[in-house]
């Protein structure tokens, strides 16, 4: 497995040793020699940040050794290894575990620090777990490493990506970014992270439009650019390790990709060296969660005071130095000669950035974790350990104590683990604000803290200026479909992601008063949706009102009828002694005029809002007054017939139908209708009703008949009397002109019957208030027919032809006319 050794880069002797694996050099290049000689690899790129992590281990060990309370009487040492490429890093870890054979067991490491990469840490722990050697990583964030069945000896001082994923989802939920794209790469960190994000996002209703794999070979990069340009999502999650992010940004800045809000993972979101003028269109306004800032006294000075002479045996330190100052320790014609005393504070690199300590604090805590675990292990008293509560274990078993560690470093950082070996998750939400010169200010605009209660874990800082991506002056909108507004319902389209739902307008009679409502609610019977269909409003009521045009017109005609009836009555009263008034039973004429006045009056009871009394009054008053009217007409018809028969020799018919009999007949006919109405009102009277069946969007206030039999009995009785009157008048139509009132009665009854025959189908088929209007029209039309046909000719003679208003004229012989 080892294959080769010699990966140790820095070391310090001590009573207890901590091991560490760091990738100080990266990007291996293979030299195959045409396979005529043994192929070999070499590393052509240096990693400033990994050097920084190694130096922090040295700083922390020295700080612990100066502490008289921690590990008193013992000194802590370290062995730090460098590997280029995953295979060499695993070899370096094995070399760290094996130690130097000449020193035996005393030289074995108590714990191994590293690695930064989740994939490398995963492979290393598979080897370390059977040996019960604890591994503490400062930057391996893959959630897969929380599985204690596979990685029982793995711990980390950096939060698991599981918490970062939850934070990223909460961030997108907060800004309502429901439609996002993801760019990732091959590798445990990126692949596991994006899969976890997609699952967590789905729980919150956030959809992933695309997941584009990125490779440093750039083979598929044009496809990535094309997808970014065509996509409708405005938010792009760039979940890549730092090295892949640098490669990706160096390519993407060649294309004019604008209008996107980029969200980064903690692996690169605080790397200020990524910013440049050419990348402003991409990185301006970028957001992401970063490890919290920390203050570590003395660390900045320690890092910047580093000199090659501090590690004279290390060749890679000289390589770093030559890279920092663009010089050479070997004589060269192309570059200056390195002195080894150059000032690091004049260099801008990951190593010399000491303004903020974020992942650096995790390295610092990792070293302290091992030191406190060893310290706890050495506190055995009477065979029991105060930390674990268990029996004392041997010196080389630090693992059991790391599980129970809970301490605070000198910088104030709390360190403890959950059952999965994960530390508490705390993140700063940062926002990239790039200046015109390409420099960037990474502004802390919020935080995500899993130790806080639900609802308080994620929050933004107050009064903080946020720069948005895509040159937007407000929060970018990134949704596949805008939320369904109230008045519509949300329907999932099975052929599309859940965020790309369809919105359908609520059906007639239903509403939705919430955004993205899954269903539409049916309004109660008395209510109807408004135009937007977002609330139920009381249905408008409809009835024939005095205030509307049709009601006003019918009221006007009714009043005109009353006026003409009263006017005719006055004319007849003032001329009651004239032959034309006396000729046809003036008493019946006055009673007929009175009944016509009541007929016109009863039409007014049909107008207005129905009530209990108006519903009972309108039908009964109509029935009784019309029977009274028809009874009078019938009496006049009989009088005409009797009068004619009485003029024949040997006949004395009038004694059988004199004034008393006429009054009795009218009373008898009317009493029959009164009995019918009383029976109707006592059994099942008319009543006001809200008709919500005929119209869906309004309520018809109407008078229900109660008993349909009663209503049609009233109408039928009126029709029977009218038909009888018509037949008798028809028989009397050819009498001499002086008794020709029967001819006028015949014509009036013809109109009366025609009106009421046409009334029945019109009444049945007319909706709402038009039913009432048809009934009023029938009442008015038949009343006007009687008034006009019977009384207008007489009034004409009384007023305009007074010479014809004489007994001699009425007794004169006038040739008869046929009807």
């Amino acid at each position: 497995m080892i294959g080769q050794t010699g990966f140790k880069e820095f070391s310090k002797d001590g009573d207890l040793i901590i091991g560490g694996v760091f990738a100080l050099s990266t990007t291996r290049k293979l030299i195959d020699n045409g396979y005529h000689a043994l192929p070999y690899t070499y590393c052509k790129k240096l990693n400033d940040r990994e050097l920084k992590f190694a130096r922090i281990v040295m700083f922390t060990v020295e700080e612990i050794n100066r502490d008289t309370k921690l590990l008193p009487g013992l000194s802590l040492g370290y062995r730090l290894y460098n590997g280029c490429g995953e295979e060499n890093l695993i070899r370096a870890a094995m070399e760290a575990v094996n130690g130097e054979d000449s020193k035996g067991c005393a030289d074995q490491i108590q714990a191994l620090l590293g690695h930064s990469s989740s994939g490398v840490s995963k492979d290393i722990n598979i080897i370390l777990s059977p040996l019960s050697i604890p591994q503490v990583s400062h930057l391996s964030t893959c959630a897969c490493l929380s599985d204690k069945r596979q990685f029982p000896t793995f711990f980390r001082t950096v939060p698991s990506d599981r918490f970062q994923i939850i934070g990223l989802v909460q961030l997108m939920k907060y800004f309502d970014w429901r439609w996002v794209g993801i760019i990732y790469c091959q590798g445990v960190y990126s692949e596991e992270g994006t899969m976890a994000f997609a699952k967590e996002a789905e729980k919150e209703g956030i959809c992933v439009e695309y997941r584009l794999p990125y490779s440093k070979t750039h083979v598929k990069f044009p496809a990535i650019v094309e997808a970014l340009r065509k996509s409708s999502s405005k938010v792009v999650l760039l979940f890549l390790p730092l090295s892949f992010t640098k490669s990706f940004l160096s390519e993407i800045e060649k294309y004019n990709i604008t209008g996107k809000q980029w969200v980064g993972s903690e692996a690169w979101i605080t790397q200020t060296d990524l910013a440049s003028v050419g990348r402003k269109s991409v990185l301006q306004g970028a957001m992401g969660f970063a490890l919290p800032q920390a203050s570590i006294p003395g660390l900045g000075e320690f890092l910047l005071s580093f000199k090659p002479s501090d590690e004279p045996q290390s060749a890679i330190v000289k390589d770093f130095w030559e890279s920092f100052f663009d010089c050479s320790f070997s004589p060269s014609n192309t570059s200056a000669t390195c002195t080894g005393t150059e000032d690091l504070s004049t260099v801008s690199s990951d190593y010399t950035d000491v303004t903020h300590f974020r992942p650096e604090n995790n390295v610092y805590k990792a070293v302290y974790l091992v030191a406190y675990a060893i310290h706890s292990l050495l506190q055995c008293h009477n065979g029991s350990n105060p930390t674990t509560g268990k029996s004392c274990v041997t010196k080389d078993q630090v693992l059991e104590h790391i599980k129970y560690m809970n301490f605070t470093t000198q910088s104030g950082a709390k360190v403890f683990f959950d059952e999965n070996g994960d530390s508490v998750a705390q993140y700063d939400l940062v926002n990239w604000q790039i200046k015109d010169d390409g420099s960037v200010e990474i502004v802390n605009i919020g935080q995500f803290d899993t130790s806080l209660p639900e609802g308080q874990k994620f929050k933004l800082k107050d009064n903080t200026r946020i720069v948005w991506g895509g040159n937007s002056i407000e929060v970018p909108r990134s949704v596949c479909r805008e939320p369904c507004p109230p008045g519509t319902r949300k329907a999932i389209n099975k052929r599309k992601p859940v965020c790309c739902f369809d919105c359908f307008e609520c059906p007639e009679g239903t509403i939705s008063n919430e955004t993205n409502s899954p269903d539409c609610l049916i309004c109660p019977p008395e209510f109807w949706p408004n135009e937007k269909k977002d609330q139920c409003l009381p249905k408008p009521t409809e009835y024939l009102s005095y205030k509307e045009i049709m009601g006003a017109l019918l009221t006007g005609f009714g009043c005109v009828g009353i006026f003409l009836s009263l006017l005719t009555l006055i004319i007849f009263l003032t001329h009651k002694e004239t032959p034309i008034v006396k000729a046809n039973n003036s008493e019946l004429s006055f009673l007929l005029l009175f009944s016509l006045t009541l007929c016109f009056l009863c039409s007014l009871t049909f107008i207005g809002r129905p009530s209990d009394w108006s519903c009972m009054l309108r039908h009964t008053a109509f029935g009784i007054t019309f029977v009274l009217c028809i009874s009078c007409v019938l009496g006049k018809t009989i009088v005409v017939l009797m009068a004619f028969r009485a003029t024949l020799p040997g006949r004395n018919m009038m004694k059988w139908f004199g004034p008393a009999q006429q009054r009795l007949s009218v009373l008898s006919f009317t009493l029959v209708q009164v009995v019918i109405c009383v029976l109707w009102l006592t059994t099942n009277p008319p009543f006001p009703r809200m008709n919500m069946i005929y119209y869906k969007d309004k309520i018809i206030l109407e008078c229900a008949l109660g008993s349909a039999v009663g209503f049609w009995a009233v109408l039928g009785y009126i029709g029977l009397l009218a038909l009888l009157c018509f037949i008798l008048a028809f028989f009397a139509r050819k009498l001499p002109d002086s008794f020709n009132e029967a001819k006028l009665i015949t014509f009036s009854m013809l109109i009366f019957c025609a009106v009421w025959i046409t009334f029945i189908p019109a009444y049945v088929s007319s909706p709402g208030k038009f039913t009432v209007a048809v009934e009023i029209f029938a009442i008015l039309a038949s009343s006007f027919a009687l008034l006009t046909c019977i009384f207008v000719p007489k009034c004409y003679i009384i007023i305009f032809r007074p010479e014809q208003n004489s007994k001699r004229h009425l007794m004169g012989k006038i040739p008869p006319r046929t009807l």
Side-chain angles (χ1 to χ4, degrees):
M1 174 63 200
I2 297 177
Q4 66 184 79
T5 57
F7 296 100
K8 185 171 71 174
E9 202 66 52
F10 309 113
S11 64
K12 177 182 174 65
D13 292 332
D15 299 321
L16 300 168
I17 304 297
I18 298 176
V21 177
F22 301 94
L24 303 180
S25 52
T26 59
T27 315
R28 283 190 306 166
K29 188 171 181 62
L30 174 67
I31 304 298
D32 58 18
N33 294 318
Y35 296 100
H36 296 297
L38 186 67
Y40 68 95
T41 61
Y42 73 95
C43 297
K44 64 176 184 177
K45 192 173 183 181
L46 301 174
N47 192 326
D48 301 355
R49 190 168 69 157
E50 290 288 293
L51 174 63
K52 191 178 190 179
F53 292 158
R55 290 284 294 163
I56 293 171
V57 173
M58 302 176 194
F59 167 82
T60 311
V61 167
E62 289 184 11
E63 186 177 88
I64 291 171
N65 287 334
R66 290 195 300 268
D67 190 342
T68 57
K69 295 181 180 180
L70 187 60
L71 296 177
L74 293 174
S75 62
L76 201 60
Y78 55 80
R79 286 204 305 271
L80 307 181
Y81 296 82
N82 169 37
C84 177
E86 185 171 346
E87 296 89 343
N88 286 336
L89 286 168
I90 295 173
R91 292 188 180 105
M94 289 304 299
E95 184 178 345
V97 170
N98 289 333
E100 298 179 19
D101 294 335
S102 60
K103 295 184 179 180
C105 294
D107 192 48
Q108 290 183 353
I109 59 173
Q110 304 299 317
L112 181 71
L113 305 182
H115 180 264
S116 301
S117 167
S118 296
V120 174
S121 293
K122 183 178 177 182
D123 293 336
I124 290 175
N125 195 258
I126 291 174
I127 298 171
L128 295 184
S129 291
L131 304 176
S132 297
I133 297 176
Q135 175 188 1
V136 183
S137 174
H138 52 277
L139 214 54
S140 296
T141 57
C142 179
C144 59
L145 291 166
S146 297
D147 187 351
K148 282 302 165 191
R149 289 178 300 177
Q150 293 189 58
F151 312 105
T153 65
F154 181 82
F155 299 89
R156 51 185 161 195
T157 52
V158 63
S160 165
D161 273 339
R162 177 168 63 93
F163 302 113
Q164 181 189 189
I165 294 303
I166 295 172
L168 288 171
V169 170
Q170 292 301 312
L171 168 69
M172 295 184 181
K173 180 181 176 183
Y174 182 88
F175 290 119
D176 201 27
W177 293 334
R178 303 282 174 174
W179 188 232
V180 300
I182 300 177
I183 296 176
Y184 71 103
C185 66
Q186 289 186 344
V188 173
Y189 169 76
S190 189
E191 289 179 323
E192 294 275 352
T194 53
M195 287 177 59
F197 174 84
K199 290 180 181 178
E200 188 68 27
E202 186 178 2
K203 297 177 185 177
E204 297 292 346
I206 299 170
C207 301
V208 177
E209 182 183 10
Y210 55 81
R211 276 192 275 184
L212 302 175
Y214 171 73
S215 170
K216 289 182 179 180
T217 59
H218 306 149
V219 174
K220 297 182 179 179
F221 201 79
I224 294 177
V225 173
E226 188 68 16
L228 287 172
R229 285 175 174 166
K230 289 184 176 181
S231 66
S232 59
S233 58
K234 302 296 182 184
V235 176
V236 184
L237 174 61
L238 191 64
F239 208 97
L240 298 175
L242 179 59
S243 60
F244 278 83
T245 303
K246 290 180 177 179
S247 173
F248 175 83
L249 291 176
S250 65
E251 285 297 311
I252 200 70
E253 67 178 317
K254 301 174 184 177
Y255 302 87
N256 187 24
I257 303 296
T258 58
K260 301 293 183 182
Q261 171 68 52
W262 293 83
V263 177
S265 61
E266 52 79 27
W268 64 267
I269 199 63
T270 56
Q271 291 299 121
T272 56
D273 60 314
L274 296 177
S276 67
V277 175
R279 297 173 182 175
K280 185 176 181 180
S281 61
V282 176
L283 293 177
Q284 179 70 291
M287 282 187 184
F289 286 107
L291 298 172
Q293 293 185 27
S295 174
I296 304 176
L299 178 58
E301 294 81 358
F302 177 84
L303 293 173
L304 295 178
S305 64
F306 182 50
K307 295 288 188 291
S309 57
D310 296 338
E311 300 290 340
Q313 80 288 351
S314 175
I316 201 168
V317 169
K318 294 181 179 180
D319 293 337
F320 272 107
W321 203 263
E322 291 176 344
S323 173
F324 287 154
F325 296 102
D326 194 21
C327 62
S328 176
F329 283 99
S330 302
S332 173
N333 297 326
T334 59
S335 58
T337 302
C338 296
T339 64
T341 59
E342 288 86 355
D343 186 3
L344 281 173
S345 62
T346 61
V347 177
S348 177
S349 73
D350 281 345
Y351 179 86
T352 58
D353 182 8
V354 295
T355 54
H356 303 100
F357 295 130
R358 293 182 185 271
E360 295 84 353
N361 190 42
N362 293 332
V363 181
Y364 182 73
K365 291 190 292 185
V367 179
Y368 262 99
L369 172 65
V370 177
Y372 270 99
I374 297 172
H375 182 82
S376 174
L377 185 146
L378 299 175
Q379 301 304 306
C380 283
H381 182 69
N382 295 330
S384 176
N385 191 283
T387 300
T388 64
K390 298 181 180 180
S391 300
C392 290
V393 294
T394 56
K395 185 178 178 182
D396 59 347
Q397 293 177 324
V398 183
L399 175 64
E400 189 69 23
H401 290 75
I402 288 182
K403 297 178 182 179
Y404 299 97
M405 281 296 99
N406 189 337
F407 64 94
T408 303
T409 65
Q410 292 184 8
S411 63
K414 292 202 69 174
V415 180
F416 61 92
F417 300 101
D418 61 16
E419 66 277 6
N420 296 319
D422 293 327
S423 59
V424 64
Q426 292 177 324
Y427 295 99
D428 290 338
L429 178 62
V430 297
N431 177 228
W432 282 48
Q433 301 181 7
I434 301 178
K435 302 172 185 177
D436 292 336
D437 60 359
S439 62
V440 63
E441 180 182 4
I442 298 179
V443 180
N444 188 353
I445 61 172
Q447 69 173 17
F448 180 71
D449 189 344
T450 58
S451 65
L452 297 176
E454 285 295 332
Q456 301 178 25
K457 296 180 186 294
F458 174 75
K459 60 182 178 181
L460 292 181
K461 287 186 175 180
D462 296 330
N463 303 319
T464 301
R465 174 178 171 267
I466 300 176
V467 175
W468 303 104
N471 299 317
S472 178
I473 59 174
E474 57 185 12
V475 181
R477 290 286 293 163
S478 186
V479 292
C480 179
R481 175 69 184 261
E482 289 294 335
C484 295
T488 62
R489 68 177 180 87
K490 176 181 174 181
I492 303 300
N493 191 328
K494 294 182 179 180
R495 293 174 294 180
K496 296 180 182 178
V498 68
C499 299
C500 302
F501 47 82
D502 294 321
C503 297
F504 295 104
E505 184 179 351
C506 285
E508 191 177 57
T510 62
I511 66 154
S512 65
N513 53 11
E514 296 178 352
T515 301
N516 285 336
S517 175
D519 298 299
C520 294
L521 307 175
I522 300 175
C523 288
E526 299 84 3
F527 292 82
W528 192 253
N530 58 355
E531 284 189 14
K532 295 182 178 179
K533 295 186 177 181
D534 58 359
Q535 60 177 323
C536 292
L537 301 178
K539 288 181 181 179
T541 55
E542 181 183 86
Y543 58 90
L544 191 60
S545 170
Y546 292 101
K547 296 180 180 180
E548 58 183 293
I549 295 175
M550 184 166 58
L553 286 174
L554 292 174
T555 302
F557 282 116
C559 292
V560 169
I562 296 170
F563 172 75
L564 292 177
S565 299
L566 293 175
L567 181 62
T568 305
L569 183 60
I570 292 170
I571 293 172
F572 268 53
L573 283 173
T574 55
H575 298 83
K576 64 181 178 179
E577 300 300 330
T578 60
I580 199 168
V581 175
K582 294 171 69 176
N584 290 293
N585 194 333
S586 60
E587 188 175 329
L588 286 179
S589 296
F590 290 134
L591 188 57
L592 178 57
L593 285 170
F594 173 70
S595 64
L596 283 173
T597 305
L598 292 180
C599 286
F600 285 118
L601 271 173
C602 82
S603 68
L604 301 180
T605 62
F606 286 82
I607 303 174
R609 188 183 185 92
S611 61
D612 289 328
W613 68 267
S614 67
C615 287
M616 290 188 288
L617 177 64
R618 63 174 59 172
H619 290 103
T620 54
F622 152 69
I624 294 171
T625 55
F626 257 76
V627 166
L628 178 61
C629 183
I630 300 300
S631 299
C632 293
V633 176
L634 183 59
K636 290 176 72 67
T637 307
I638 296 173
V639 167
V640 172
L641 285 172
M642 293 299 180
F644 175 72
R645 298 297 180 187
T647 60
L648 297 177
R651 299 288 183 93
N652 190 14
M653 302 293 293
M654 285 303 295
K655 69 177 183 179
W656 300 106
F657 201 73
Q661 287 81 4
Q662 295 169 22
R663 287 192 289 271
L664 184 61
S665 67
V666 171
L667 180 61
S668 300
F669 287 136
T670 307
L671 278 175
V672 174
Q673 186 74 304
V674 170
V675 171
I676 294 173
C677 289
V678 169
L679 290 173
W680 184 13
L681 294 177
T682 53
T683 55
N684 193 2
F687 58 91
R689 180 181 68 180
M690 292 191 296
N691 187 339
M692 293 177 281
I693 299 174
Y694 200 93
Y695 292 112
K696 295 178 180 178
D697 58 344
K698 58 185 174 182
I699 299 173
I700 300 172
L701 297 181
E702 62 184 10
C703 286
L705 295 176
S707 172
V709 175
F711 175 73
W712 292 111
V714 168
L715 281 185
Y717 184 64
I718 295 172
L720 179 64
L721 292 181
L723 182 62
L724 179 61
C725 186
F726 173 72
I727 293 172
L728 294 177
F730 183 77
F731 288 148
R733 73 190 188 282
K734 293 185 178 180
L735 294 176
D737 277 357
S738 54
F739 299 96
N740 205 20
E741 193 177 36
K743 193 177 294 184
L744 300 176
I745 292 172
T746 303
F747 192 64
S748 66
M749 284 297 103
L750 184 62
I751 298 175
F752 185 94
C753 291
V755 167
W756 286 100
I757 288 172
T758 56
F759 159 77
I760 294 173
Y763 179 84
V764 172
S765 61
S766 297
K769 62 184 178 182
F770 298 103
T771 304
V772 181
V774 166
E775 194 166 356
I776 295 173
F777 176 78
I779 294 171
L780 293 178
S782 54
S783 299
F784 273 114
L786 290 172
L787 181 64
T788 304
C789 292
I790 296 176
F791 292 101
V792 168
K794 296 179 180 181
C795 289
Y796 177 77
I797 293 173
I798 293 171
I799 298 173
F800 299 105
R801 293 289 187 267
E803 69 277 2
Q804 295 180 12
N805 190 5
S806 64
K807 189 174 182 181
R808 190 169 67 113
H809 177 77
L810 294 175
M811 297 298 292
K813 300 291 183 180
I814 301 173
R817 304 186 190 97
T818 58
L819 185 62

